[in-house]
């Protein structure tokens, strides 16, 4: 269920007792993205995610050139990598040569970023997907799904896979950029507004 967590926001609280067929019907009416649009957004988000992780690994303090090259939102996500993911991971795994590991991760992510077509493809949006869209607290196994699909393109080094799995890094990154891409679309705002008007979710 790739659509879960799209409405994830601290400003929205799910009213679980009321979520059901009515909510799914409302989402179906307003959330009119096609499967192709969702797939394209996921593939774009995957590209942004790899770029942000790569930037965070190789440049904890971005240079002026990198600040110009990468968007503000990419740089903001990248700034989390060193402290929240990389340093705890290398300590846990006992990585001896951090400089070499940084280079290995950078090269691997650059390779995979060139092969995003075909990943996370959705053939059709099911009612199950729409129900997952409402349940903003649902956690997805996005990282494992992506690593499985990436392995079909090129063998994923075990340590790289472990790093991307650490605290759900890869899945968190993809979902972060996916939400940011679709939140710009008025159809998502219309969906959330309709749910609020039906008192199926409330603002806090």
């Amino acid at each position: 269920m790739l659509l879960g967590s799209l409405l994830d926001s601290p400003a929205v609280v799910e009213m679980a007792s009321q979520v059901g067929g009515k909510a799914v019907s409302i989402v179906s009416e307003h959330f009119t993205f096609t499967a192709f649009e969702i797939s394209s957004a996921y593939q774009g988000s995957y590209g942004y995610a790899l770029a942000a992780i790569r930037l965070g690994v190789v440049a904890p303090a971005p240079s002026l050139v990198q600040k110009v090259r990468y968007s503000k939102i990419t740089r903001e996500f990248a700034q989390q990598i060193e402290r929240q993911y990389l340093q705890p991971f290398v300590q846990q795994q006992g990585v001896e040569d951090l400089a070499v590991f940084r280079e290995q991760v950078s090269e691997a992510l650059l390779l995979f970023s060139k092969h995003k077509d075909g990943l996370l493809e959705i053939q059709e949006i099911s009612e199950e997907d729409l129900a997952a869209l409402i349940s903003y607290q649902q956690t997805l196994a996005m990282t494992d799904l992506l690593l499985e699909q990436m392995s079909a393109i090129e063998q994923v080094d075990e340590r790289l896979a472990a790093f991307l799995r650490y605290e759900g890094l890869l899945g968190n990154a993809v979902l972060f950029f996916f939400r940011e891409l679709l939140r710009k679309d008025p159809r998502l705002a219309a969906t959330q507004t309709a749910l609020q008007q039906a008192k199926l979710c409330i603002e806090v």
Side-chain angles (χ1 to χ4, degrees), residues 5 28 35 61 66 181 184 191:
S5 298
S28 180
Q66 289 164 332
L181 283 175
K184 298 176 182 178
T191 302

Side-chain angles (χ1 to χ4, degrees), residues 113-182:
S113 68
K114 298 176 181 178
H115 302 281
K116 60 184 180 181
D117 292 344
L119 295 178
L120 298 172
E121 282 194 339
I122 299 176
Q123 300 302 320
E124 62 179 344
I125 300 175
S126 67
E127 188 169 290
E128 184 182 34
D129 288 323
L130 296 178
L133 175 64
I134 302 164
S135 184
Y136 80 97
Q137 292 178 323
Q138 181 175 350
T139 301
L140 301 179
M142 178 66 75
T143 296
D144 285 337
L145 174 62
L146 278 166
L147 286 172
E148 179 181 347
Q149 295 186 357
M150 289 164 65
S151 296
I153 299 170
E154 185 81 21
Q155 182 176 355
V156 182
D157 177 79
E158 289 185 7
R159 180 160 280 179
L160 172 63
F163 175 58
L164 295 177
R165 283 194 184 99
Y166 185 78
E167 298 294 332
L169 170 57
L170 180 57
N172 289 341
V174 171
L175 288 174
F176 172 80
F177 286 104
F178 178 70
R179 287 193 292 262
E180 290 302 317
L181 283 175
L182 289 197

Side-chain angles (χ1 to χ4, degrees), residues 11-79:
V12 177
V13 174
E14 179 183 348
M15 298 180 69
S17 63
Q18 298 187 49
V19 170
K22 182 179 179 181
V24 172
S25 176
I26 290 173
V27 173
S28 180
E29 178 182 354
H30 294 278
F31 190 81
T32 57
F33 294 89
T34 65
F36 175 78
E37 287 177 303
I38 294 295
S39 297
S40 296
Y42 265 116
Q43 289 162 9
S45 301
Y46 170 78
Y48 286 124
L50 294 192
I53 295 171
R54 184 168 177 260
L55 177 62
V57 167
V58 300
S63 65
L64 178 60
V65 173
Q66 289 164 332
K67 288 180 179 179
V68 173
R69 180 179 179 183
Y70 294 96
S71 67
K72 180 181 178 181
I73 193 169
T74 298
R75 287 185 277 111
E76 286 177 350
F77 191 91
Q79 288 174 358

